[in-house]
Amino acid sequence: MTIYLPIAELSVNILIILGMGAAVGFLSGMFGVGGGFLITPLLIFYNIPPVVAVATGANQVVASSISGAITHFRRGTIDIKLGTVLLCGGLVGATFGVWLFSLLRRVGQLDLVISLLYVVLLGSVGGLMLWESIGAMRKAAKQQPTRLRRPGQHNWIHGLPLKMRFKKSKIYLSVIPVATLGFCIGILTSIMGVGGGFIMVPAMIYLLRIPTGVVVGTSLFQIVFVSAYTVIVQASTNYTVDIVLAFVLMIAGVIGAQYGVRVGQRLRGEQLRALLALLVLAVGIRLAIELIIPPKDVYSVVSAGFGF
């Protein structure tokens, strides 16, 4: 059973797309991530053009982040003031990222840059997560307490100027690193189609020393608006958002997430982090292999938008 994707300009098996959406939704529910860093590479593996995969994958991030943000808002675990500073930086970063996206597309280097960024990002993040989770599991097996640096402990970042008091987070912090973090996540969102939560959350906890209780909700608050803004700008500027593909992925993702939450509740935190790290590394290695192995068709001729 196939459907035609008007923006991607190809026919795909709807069952495979539904399976991708459900699998990413399942993993999103299990690990508590947006899933953008997974759905975009999977779409690229299925021969969806990277320009379409990036822009359309951001829809999945918006859909999965909204429900989580609403839940955290009801619980009162969102620092609106902190999230607004992150959002301001994120919108500027997303605008710059869309411009950079268009520039790379015009010079014909977008596909290579997207793949390289994913290999570097997923490889480094996955490696660090795996190292930390293995260490945590070893300490748990030996019944040793895991030592974490407490939120509120100061480092060089807390000595920067332009400080602002965030009452909800109970911190007094410069807006420079907060806005810079949002700016970087905005660029990643527009170029790679990721929400950036798997980078922003650790950075907020370990670098900015923000209490864990408000980190996830505040991160989702920023991701919702920056991802939605990116989708709108990509659709109006580069015309790369495939609404048919996005709709199928969102339906399957919502269903898969419900089962992922149930499975995730049965596993310990360090086990979840180890599994997520292995998954991130596997995707990164798969993309690296694609870059190293010579393609079957070394040469191609493109005319009037069609490849032969």
Side-chain angles (χ1 to χ4, degrees):
M1 182 178 178
T2 61
I3 57 172
Y4 181 74
L5 304 179
I7 303 300
E9 296 183 342
L10 52 83
S11 297
V12 296
N13 189 321
I14 189 173
L15 296 180
I16 293 179
I17 299 298
L18 285 171
M20 286 184 183
V24 172
F26 179 84
L27 296 172
S28 298
M30 179 186 294
F31 299 121
V33 296
F37 71 100
L38 293 174
I39 193 62
T40 301
L42 287 177
L43 291 174
I44 294 174
F45 295 157
Y46 193 54
N47 296 323
I48 302 295
V51 291
V52 177
V54 168
T56 306
N59 286 273
Q60 184 94 346
V61 177
V62 176
S64 60
S65 299
I66 285 178
S67 60
I70 292 175
T71 301
H72 282 279
F73 180 78
R74 291 174 177 173
R75 294 177 179 175
T77 53
I78 296 180
D79 190 326
I80 301 296
K81 189 175 182 180
L82 178 63
T84 302
V85 177
L86 284 169
L87 178 59
C88 292
L91 294 178
V92 176
T95 303
F96 175 76
V98 171
W99 173 82
L100 186 59
F101 185 96
S102 302
L103 176 63
L104 293 172
R105 188 182 182 188
R106 285 197 301 269
V107 299
Q109 299 298 322
L110 181 62
D111 294 4
L112 176 62
V113 171
I114 290 175
S115 297
L116 286 174
L117 283 174
Y118 265 106
V119 170
V120 173
L121 188 62
L122 297 182
S124 57
V125 172
L128 291 173
M129 289 178 60
L130 185 61
W131 179 269
E132 185 273 336
S133 58
I134 290 177
M137 286 189 289
R138 286 179 176 176
K139 290 182 179 180
K142 297 178 181 179
Q143 296 182 348
Q144 296 177 351
T146 302
R147 296 181 179 178
L148 295 175
R149 300 175 77 178
R150 296 179 181 178
Q153 289 181 338
H154 290 184
N155 53 31
W156 65 270
I157 292 178
H158 292 77
L160 295 175
L162 300 178
K163 290 188 176 182
M164 182 180 294
R165 190 172 300 279
F166 302 98
K167 295 183 180 179
K168 188 72 176 181
S169 300
K170 298 179 181 179
I171 58 173
Y172 186 55
L173 182 66
S174 170
V175 299
I176 295 176
V178 179
T180 302
L181 177 60
F183 178 82
C184 295
I185 297 300
I187 294 177
L188 292 179
T189 300
S190 55
I191 295 182
M192 302 176 64
V194 300
F198 67 106
I199 295 178
M200 183 159 50
V201 170
M204 292 171 70
I205 294 174
Y206 296 108
L207 293 180
L208 304 183
R209 299 289 182 263
I210 298 173
T212 307
V214 298
V215 163
V216 176
T218 306
S219 172
L220 288 173
F221 172 82
Q222 191 259 13
I223 289 173
V224 168
F225 291 101
V226 173
S227 299
Y229 172 78
T230 300
V231 171
I232 294 171
V233 175
Q234 289 280 26
S236 60
T237 303
N238 297 312
Y239 311 105
T240 51
V241 178
D242 196 306
I243 190 64
V244 176
L245 178 60
F247 183 71
V248 175
L249 288 173
M250 284 191 291
I251 291 178
V254 169
I255 297 174
Q258 304 303 315
Y259 294 94
V261 171
R262 299 177 184 177
V263 175
Q265 291 174 344
R266 301 176 183 177
L267 299 175
R268 296 197 302 269
E270 60 271 14
Q271 293 176 332
L272 284 174
R273 293 195 299 273
L275 290 174
L276 180 58
L278 291 173
L279 181 64
V280 169
L281 285 174
V283 175
I285 292 171
R286 178 68 169 81
L287 281 170
I289 292 175
E290 288 286 330
L291 291 175
I292 296 173
I293 296 180
K296 295 180 180 179
D297 299 324
V298 180
Y299 300 100
S300 63
V301 179
V302 179
S303 177
F306 296 91
F308 298 90

